[in-house]
Amino acid sequence: MERVMTVEEKIRRAEEIYQRRREGETRPIAKVAVNEKKDVRLLKKMVIQILICVTIYFVVYVIQNNQYVFSEDFINKANEILSYDVNFAQLYEMVKNNVMAFVNKEDQNKMQEQQTDETQKQEDNQGQTTEGEENSEGQEGKQEQEQNQGNDAIGGAEAIQEENKNLSQDELDIQNVKNTTGFIKPVNGVVSSKYGQRDTATGNVPKNHTGTDIAANLGTKIISATDGEVVLSSEEGDYGKHLKIQIGEVSIIYAHCNQLYVKQGDKIKQGQEIAEVGSTGNSTGPHLHFEIRISERKVDPQKILEL
Protein backbone atom coordinates (compact mmCIF):
# COMPACT_ATOMS: atom_id res chain seq x y z
CA MET A 1 0.00 0.00 0.00
CA GLU A 2 1.09 3.54 -0.76
CA ARG A 3 2.44 5.30 2.31
CA VAL A 4 0.34 8.23 3.47
CA MET A 5 2.29 11.39 4.48
CA THR A 6 1.40 12.93 7.74
CA VAL A 7 0.59 16.59 8.14
CA GLU A 8 3.98 17.28 9.71
CA GLU A 9 5.86 15.63 6.79
CA LYS A 10 3.84 17.69 4.31
CA ILE A 11 4.70 20.88 6.18
CA ARG A 12 8.42 19.95 6.31
CA ARG A 13 8.45 19.13 2.56
CA ALA A 14 6.77 22.46 1.74
CA GLU A 15 9.34 24.34 3.86
CA GLU A 16 12.24 22.62 2.02
CA ILE A 17 10.79 23.57 -1.37
CA TYR A 18 10.27 27.14 -0.24
CA GLN A 19 13.82 27.36 1.13
CA ARG A 20 15.34 26.10 -2.13
CA ARG A 21 13.39 28.68 -4.12
CA ARG A 22 14.58 31.50 -1.85
CA GLU A 23 18.22 30.47 -2.24
CA GLY A 24 17.83 30.68 -6.01
CA GLU A 25 18.44 27.08 -6.76
CA THR A 26 17.93 26.40 -10.44
CA ARG A 27 18.09 23.42 -12.60
CA PRO A 28 21.37 22.77 -14.45
CA ILE A 29 21.40 24.24 -17.92
CA ALA A 30 22.22 21.81 -20.69
CA LYS A 31 25.25 22.85 -22.80
CA VAL A 32 25.03 22.46 -26.53
CA ALA A 33 28.26 21.53 -28.28
CA VAL A 34 29.19 23.85 -31.14
CA ASN A 35 30.22 22.26 -34.37
CA GLU A 36 33.59 23.86 -35.13
CA LYS A 37 33.84 22.25 -38.53
CA LYS A 38 30.60 23.92 -39.55
CA ASP A 39 31.99 27.33 -38.49
CA VAL A 40 35.16 26.77 -40.60
CA ARG A 41 33.02 25.94 -43.65
CA LEU A 42 31.01 29.12 -43.14
CA LEU A 43 34.21 31.17 -42.88
CA LYS A 44 35.60 29.68 -46.09
CA LYS A 45 32.32 30.34 -47.86
CA MET A 46 32.35 33.97 -46.71
CA VAL A 47 35.97 34.47 -47.91
CA ILE A 48 35.11 33.01 -51.33
CA GLN A 49 32.11 35.34 -51.62
CA ILE A 50 34.31 38.34 -50.76
CA LEU A 51 36.88 37.34 -53.41
CA ILE A 52 34.13 36.95 -56.01
CA CYS A 53 32.78 40.42 -55.17
CA VAL A 54 36.27 41.97 -55.46
CA THR A 55 36.81 40.27 -58.82
CA ILE A 56 33.47 41.53 -60.15
CA TYR A 57 34.30 45.05 -58.94
CA PHE A 58 37.72 44.92 -60.66
CA VAL A 59 36.16 43.75 -63.96
CA VAL A 60 33.57 46.55 -63.82
CA TYR A 61 36.32 49.10 -63.05
CA VAL A 62 38.41 47.91 -66.01
CA ILE A 63 35.40 48.13 -68.34
CA GLN A 64 34.54 51.64 -67.15
CA ASN A 65 38.16 52.83 -67.49
CA ASN A 66 38.96 51.03 -70.72
CA GLN A 67 40.11 54.30 -72.29
CA TYR A 68 43.21 54.17 -70.09
CA VAL A 69 43.69 50.40 -69.66
CA PHE A 70 43.47 49.78 -73.41
CA SER A 71 45.09 53.07 -74.47
CA GLU A 72 48.05 53.10 -76.79
CA ASP A 73 50.31 54.49 -74.07
CA PHE A 74 49.38 51.68 -71.65
CA ILE A 75 49.84 49.00 -74.34
CA ASN A 76 53.23 50.43 -75.33
CA LYS A 77 54.42 50.37 -71.71
CA ALA A 78 53.17 46.80 -71.28
CA ASN A 79 54.95 45.71 -74.48
CA GLU A 80 58.12 47.43 -73.32
CA ILE A 81 58.04 45.52 -70.03
CA LEU A 82 57.26 42.20 -71.75
CA SER A 83 60.04 42.75 -74.31
CA TYR A 84 62.75 42.43 -71.67
CA ASP A 85 64.59 39.16 -72.17
CA VAL A 86 66.02 37.86 -68.89
CA ASN A 87 68.87 35.39 -69.30
CA PHE A 88 68.67 33.45 -66.02
CA ALA A 89 71.81 31.44 -66.75
CA GLN A 90 73.81 34.61 -67.27
CA LEU A 91 72.22 36.17 -64.19
CA TYR A 92 73.19 33.11 -62.11
CA GLU A 93 76.79 33.26 -63.36
CA MET A 94 76.99 36.97 -62.58
CA VAL A 95 75.71 36.48 -59.02
CA LYS A 96 78.05 33.50 -58.53
CA ASN A 97 81.07 35.48 -59.75
CA ASN A 98 80.20 38.43 -57.49
CA VAL A 99 79.87 36.13 -54.46
CA MET A 100 83.18 34.40 -55.21
CA ALA A 101 84.89 37.75 -55.72
CA PHE A 102 83.52 38.97 -52.38
CA VAL A 103 84.75 35.81 -50.59
CA ASN A 104 88.20 36.08 -52.18
CA LYS A 105 88.37 39.73 -51.24
CA GLU A 106 87.59 38.90 -47.62
CA ASP A 107 90.40 36.30 -47.59
CA GLN A 108 92.84 38.80 -49.08
CA ASN A 109 91.85 41.40 -46.50
CA LYS A 110 92.52 38.93 -43.69
CA MET A 111 95.95 38.10 -45.13
CA GLN A 112 96.76 41.78 -45.53
CA GLU A 113 95.72 42.45 -41.94
CA GLN A 114 98.03 39.68 -40.73
CA GLN A 115 100.92 41.05 -42.79
CA THR A 116 100.20 44.54 -41.54
CA ASP A 117 100.28 43.35 -37.92
CA GLU A 118 103.64 41.64 -38.46
CA THR A 119 105.06 44.71 -40.21
CA GLN A 120 103.82 46.94 -37.42
CA LYS A 121 105.56 44.82 -34.81
CA GLN A 122 108.84 45.06 -36.75
CA GLU A 123 108.53 48.83 -37.10
CA ASP A 124 107.86 49.22 -33.39
CA ASN A 125 111.26 47.67 -32.68
CA GLN A 126 113.05 50.33 -34.73
CA GLY A 127 114.38 53.57 -33.27
CA GLN A 128 112.18 56.65 -32.86
CA THR A 129 114.71 58.80 -34.72
CA THR A 130 114.43 56.81 -37.96
CA GLU A 131 110.66 56.81 -37.73
CA GLY A 132 110.60 60.59 -37.24
CA GLU A 133 112.79 61.17 -40.31
CA GLU A 134 110.61 58.98 -42.49
CA ASN A 135 107.46 60.74 -41.35
CA SER A 136 109.02 64.13 -42.06
CA GLU A 137 110.06 63.11 -45.57
CA GLY A 138 106.62 61.64 -46.22
CA GLN A 139 104.86 64.83 -45.14
CA GLU A 140 107.09 67.00 -47.31
CA GLY A 141 106.45 64.79 -50.33
CA LYS A 142 102.70 64.81 -49.70
CA GLN A 143 102.63 68.60 -49.35
CA GLU A 144 104.59 69.01 -52.56
CA GLN A 145 102.22 66.65 -54.40
CA GLU A 146 99.12 68.46 -53.10
CA GLN A 147 100.62 71.80 -54.10
CA ASN A 148 101.29 70.54 -57.64
CA GLN A 149 97.75 69.16 -57.91
CA GLY A 150 96.31 72.45 -56.72
CA ASN A 151 98.33 74.36 -59.31
CA ASP A 152 97.16 72.02 -62.07
CA ALA A 153 93.52 72.37 -60.99
CA ILE A 154 93.75 76.15 -60.87
CA GLY A 155 95.37 76.25 -64.27
CA GLY A 156 92.65 74.01 -65.79
CA ALA A 157 89.82 76.11 -64.32
CA GLU A 158 91.44 79.31 -65.59
CA ALA A 159 91.74 77.82 -69.07
CA ILE A 160 88.05 76.84 -69.10
CA GLN A 161 87.00 80.29 -67.86
CA GLU A 162 89.18 81.96 -70.48
CA GLU A 163 87.65 79.77 -73.20
CA ASN A 164 84.09 80.56 -72.02
CA LYS A 165 84.83 84.30 -72.07
CA ASN A 166 85.43 84.08 -75.84
CA LEU A 167 81.99 82.50 -76.46
CA SER A 168 78.79 84.43 -77.08
CA GLN A 169 75.62 83.85 -75.04
CA ASP A 170 74.08 81.84 -77.91
CA GLU A 171 77.17 79.63 -78.12
CA LEU A 172 77.18 79.11 -74.35
CA ASP A 173 73.47 78.19 -74.42
CA ILE A 174 74.00 75.70 -77.23
CA GLN A 175 76.93 74.16 -75.36
CA ASN A 176 74.89 73.87 -72.15
CA VAL A 177 71.94 72.26 -73.96
CA LYS A 178 74.22 69.68 -75.60
CA ASN A 179 75.96 68.90 -72.31
CA THR A 180 72.75 68.43 -70.29
CA THR A 181 70.15 67.00 -72.70
CA GLY A 182 70.09 64.26 -75.36
CA PHE A 183 67.82 64.77 -78.39
CA ILE A 184 66.31 62.67 -81.17
CA LYS A 185 64.49 63.84 -84.30
CA PRO A 186 60.82 64.54 -83.45
CA VAL A 187 59.34 63.88 -86.91
CA ASN A 188 60.48 62.77 -90.36
CA GLY A 189 60.14 65.58 -92.87
CA VAL A 190 61.81 68.43 -94.74
CA VAL A 191 62.99 71.65 -93.10
CA SER A 192 60.76 74.30 -94.67
CA SER A 193 61.87 77.28 -92.57
CA LYS A 194 65.05 77.69 -90.52
CA TYR A 195 65.71 79.46 -87.23
CA GLY A 196 66.39 83.22 -87.27
CA GLN A 197 65.57 86.00 -89.73
CA ARG A 198 63.64 85.02 -92.86
CA ASP A 199 61.84 86.53 -95.83
CA THR A 200 58.08 86.07 -95.53
CA ALA A 201 55.48 86.17 -98.28
CA THR A 202 52.69 87.40 -95.98
CA GLY A 203 52.60 89.83 -93.12
CA ASN A 204 50.99 87.28 -90.80
CA VAL A 205 54.17 85.20 -90.55
CA PRO A 206 56.80 86.75 -88.22
CA LYS A 207 60.19 87.56 -89.77
CA ASN A 208 62.16 86.50 -86.69
CA HIS A 209 61.63 82.74 -86.60
CA THR A 210 62.08 81.33 -83.07
CA GLY A 211 62.29 77.67 -84.12
CA THR A 212 62.65 75.32 -87.08
CA ASP A 213 59.69 74.26 -89.25
CA ILE A 214 59.63 70.63 -90.43
CA ALA A 215 57.08 70.04 -93.21
CA ALA A 216 55.26 66.68 -93.12
CA ASN A 217 51.92 65.18 -94.11
CA LEU A 218 48.85 66.04 -92.05
CA GLY A 219 48.44 63.53 -89.20
CA THR A 220 52.07 62.35 -89.15
CA LYS A 221 52.99 61.17 -85.66
CA ILE A 222 55.25 63.45 -83.60
CA ILE A 223 57.51 61.83 -80.99
CA SER A 224 59.13 63.51 -78.00
CA ALA A 225 62.73 64.50 -78.70
CA THR A 226 63.62 64.18 -74.98
CA ASP A 227 62.35 62.97 -71.65
CA GLY A 228 60.49 65.53 -69.56
CA GLU A 229 57.18 66.76 -68.16
CA VAL A 230 54.35 68.48 -70.02
CA VAL A 231 54.17 71.94 -68.43
CA LEU A 232 51.78 73.40 -71.05
CA SER A 233 49.11 71.89 -73.30
CA SER A 234 47.16 74.61 -75.10
CA GLU A 235 45.05 75.35 -78.18
CA GLU A 236 45.25 79.16 -77.95
CA GLY A 237 47.43 81.75 -79.68
CA ASP A 238 49.48 81.77 -82.90
CA TYR A 239 50.96 78.35 -82.07
CA GLY A 240 47.52 76.72 -82.32
CA LYS A 241 47.47 73.32 -80.64
CA HIS A 242 50.89 73.10 -79.01
CA LEU A 243 52.86 71.46 -76.19
CA LYS A 244 55.70 72.64 -73.97
CA ILE A 245 57.83 69.89 -72.41
CA GLN A 246 60.35 70.77 -69.70
CA ILE A 247 63.52 68.89 -68.72
CA GLY A 248 65.68 70.79 -66.23
CA GLU A 249 66.35 74.29 -67.60
CA VAL A 250 65.61 73.14 -71.17
CA SER A 251 62.11 73.38 -72.65
CA ILE A 252 60.87 72.21 -76.07
CA ILE A 253 57.80 73.53 -77.91
CA TYR A 254 55.85 71.47 -80.47
CA ALA A 255 53.43 73.82 -82.27
CA HIS A 256 50.69 73.90 -84.98
CA CYS A 257 49.66 70.31 -84.12
CA ASN A 258 46.52 68.67 -85.48
CA GLN A 259 45.90 66.61 -82.32
CA LEU A 260 47.56 66.37 -78.88
CA TYR A 261 48.04 62.95 -77.26
CA VAL A 262 49.23 64.12 -73.82
CA LYS A 263 48.08 66.68 -71.26
CA GLN A 264 49.64 69.02 -68.72
CA GLY A 265 51.38 67.19 -65.88
CA ASP A 266 52.13 64.00 -67.86
CA LYS A 267 55.63 62.49 -67.56
CA ILE A 268 57.08 61.90 -71.02
CA LYS A 269 59.71 59.42 -72.23
CA GLN A 270 62.00 60.09 -75.16
CA GLY A 271 60.49 58.61 -78.35
CA GLN A 272 56.90 58.60 -76.97
CA GLU A 273 54.18 59.70 -79.44
CA ILE A 274 52.83 63.04 -78.19
CA ALA A 275 50.93 64.69 -81.08
CA GLU A 276 50.15 64.80 -84.81
CA VAL A 277 51.44 67.20 -87.48
CA GLY A 278 48.83 69.83 -88.29
CA SER A 279 48.27 73.40 -89.46
CA THR A 280 46.49 75.02 -86.52
CA GLY A 281 47.11 78.59 -85.37
CA ASN A 282 49.10 81.01 -87.55
CA SER A 283 50.25 78.48 -90.14
CA THR A 284 50.46 78.30 -93.95
CA GLY A 285 50.48 74.47 -94.23
CA PRO A 286 50.99 71.20 -92.36
CA HIS A 287 54.27 71.28 -90.46
CA LEU A 288 55.82 71.02 -86.98
CA HIS A 289 57.23 74.17 -85.41
CA PHE A 290 60.08 72.76 -83.28
CA GLU A 291 61.53 75.19 -80.75
CA ILE A 292 64.25 74.74 -78.08
CA ARG A 293 64.83 77.07 -75.13
CA ILE A 294 67.19 77.14 -72.16
CA SER A 295 66.16 79.37 -69.27
CA GLU A 296 63.58 80.77 -71.79
CA ARG A 297 66.39 81.88 -74.16
CA LYS A 298 65.79 80.46 -77.65
CA VAL A 299 68.52 78.53 -79.51
CA ASP A 300 68.84 77.18 -83.04
CA PRO A 301 67.52 73.58 -83.07
CA GLN A 302 69.69 72.69 -86.10
CA LYS A 303 72.79 73.41 -84.02
CA ILE A 304 71.59 70.86 -81.43
CA LEU A 305 70.59 67.95 -83.70
CA GLU A 306 70.19 67.05 -87.36
CA LEU A 307 66.67 67.78 -88.65
Side-chain angles (χ1 to χ4, degrees):
M1 291 179 63
E2 184 179 357
R3 180 175 176 274
V4 179
M5 297 179 63
T6 63
V7 176
E8 294 178 354
E9 291 176 343
K10 290 181 180 180
I11 293 172
R12 187 171 60 254
R13 178 66 59 86
E15 289 177 351
E16 290 177 355
I17 294 172
Y18 176 74
Q19 187 66 24
R20 286 200 300 269
R21 288 180 180 177
R22 288 191 61 184
E23 292 177 355
E25 181 178 353
T26 57
R27 294 182 180 180
I29 299 174
K31 296 184 179 179
V32 180
V34 179
N35 192 345
E36 296 181 356
K37 293 184 178 179
K38 187 175 180 180
D39 291 342
V40 172
R41 293 197 199 98
L42 290 176
L43 180 61
K44 290 182 179 179
K45 186 176 180 181
M46 183 177 65
V47 172
I48 293 173
Q49 290 177 349
I50 293 173
L51 291 176
I52 292 173
C53 292
V54 171
T55 304
I56 294 173
Y57 175 79
F58 178 74
V59 171
V60 172
Y61 174 80
V62 170
I63 294 173
Q64 291 179 347
N65 297 271
N66 59 355
Q67 292 182 353
Y68 170 74
V69 175
F70 300 104
S71 64
E72 188 174 357
D73 184 24
F74 183 86
I75 294 173
N76 290 336
K77 290 181 180 178
N79 291 332
E80 182 180 354
I81 294 173
L82 294 175
S83 64
Y84 291 141
D85 185 13
V86 180
N87 189 339
F88 289 99
Q90 185 177 1
L91 184 62
Y92 169 76
E93 289 296 331
M94 183 178 67
V95 173
K96 179 182 176 182
N97 293 335
N98 289 334
V99 171
M100 294 300 296
F102 178 78
V103 173
N104 293 334
K105 186 176 180 180
E106 289 292 329
D107 294 339
Q108 291 178 357
N109 290 336
K110 290 181 180 179
M111 293 178 62
Q112 290 178 357
E113 288 177 358
Q114 292 177 356
Q115 293 177 356
T116 303
D117 292 339
E118 293 177 357
T119 304
Q120 187 65 33
K121 291 179 181 179
Q122 293 177 359
E123 291 179 353
D124 291 340
N125 294 328
Q126 295 178 356
Q128 295 181 356
T129 305
T130 305
E131 184 178 359
E133 292 176 354
E134 290 178 354
N135 291 335
S136 177
E137 291 176 357
Q139 290 177 357
E140 290 177 358
K142 185 177 180 180
Q143 291 176 357
E144 183 179 357
Q145 184 177 3
E146 291 177 352
Q147 185 177 1
N148 292 334
Q149 290 178 352
N151 293 334
D152 293 341
I154 294 172
E158 290 177 352
I160 294 173
Q161 291 177 357
E162 186 67 25
E163 182 180 354
N164 290 338
K165 286 181 181 179
N166 297 329
L167 297 177
S168 64
Q169 184 62 53
D170 289 342
E171 291 172 334
L172 287 173
D173 289 341
I174 291 170
Q175 189 178 41
N176 290 335
V177 172
K178 287 183 176 180
N179 292 338
T180 58
T181 312
F183 285 82
I184 61 175
K185 191 174 181 180
V187 68
N188 290 322
V190 179
V191 174
S192 57
S193 181
K194 296 182 178 181
Y195 173 87
Q197 297 296 323
R198 60 181 177 179
D199 296 330
T200 59
T202 62
N204 294 332
V205 179
K207 292 184 179 181
N208 183 22
H209 197 209
T210 58
T212 299
D213 290 345
I214 306 173
N217 293 330
L218 186 69
T220 302
K221 301 290 193 259
I222 301 171
I223 63 175
S224 179
T226 66
D227 295 338
E229 179 182 354
V230 180
V231 295
L232 178 65
S233 176
S234 175
E235 299 183 6
E236 300 178 357
D238 292 342
Y239 282 162
K241 294 183 179 180
H242 63 283
L243 298 170
K244 183 178 181 181
I245 296 178
Q246 188 85 19
I247 175 171
E249 295 183 353
V250 179
S251 57
I252 304 95
I253 293 177
Y254 305 82
H256 306 305
C257 301
N258 183 56
Q259 185 177 354
L260 305 178
Y261 294 164
V262 294
K263 61 184 181 301
Q264 185 172 342
D266 287 351
K267 303 294 184 181
I268 304 300
K269 293 294 184 182
Q270 188 179 58
Q272 178 180 336
E273 293 182 355
I274 56 175
E276 294 178 0
V277 171
S279 185
T280 58
N282 187 9
S283 171
T284 58
H287 72 280
L288 168 65
H289 174 84
F290 183 66
E291 186 174 316
I292 300 176
R293 303 177 183 179
I294 179 169
S295 300
E296 293 305 318
R297 293 189 299 272
K298 304 170 185 68
V299 297
D300 187 354
Q302 288 186 280
K303 292 183 180 179
I304 304 298
L305 73 163
E306 295 183 3
L307 298 174

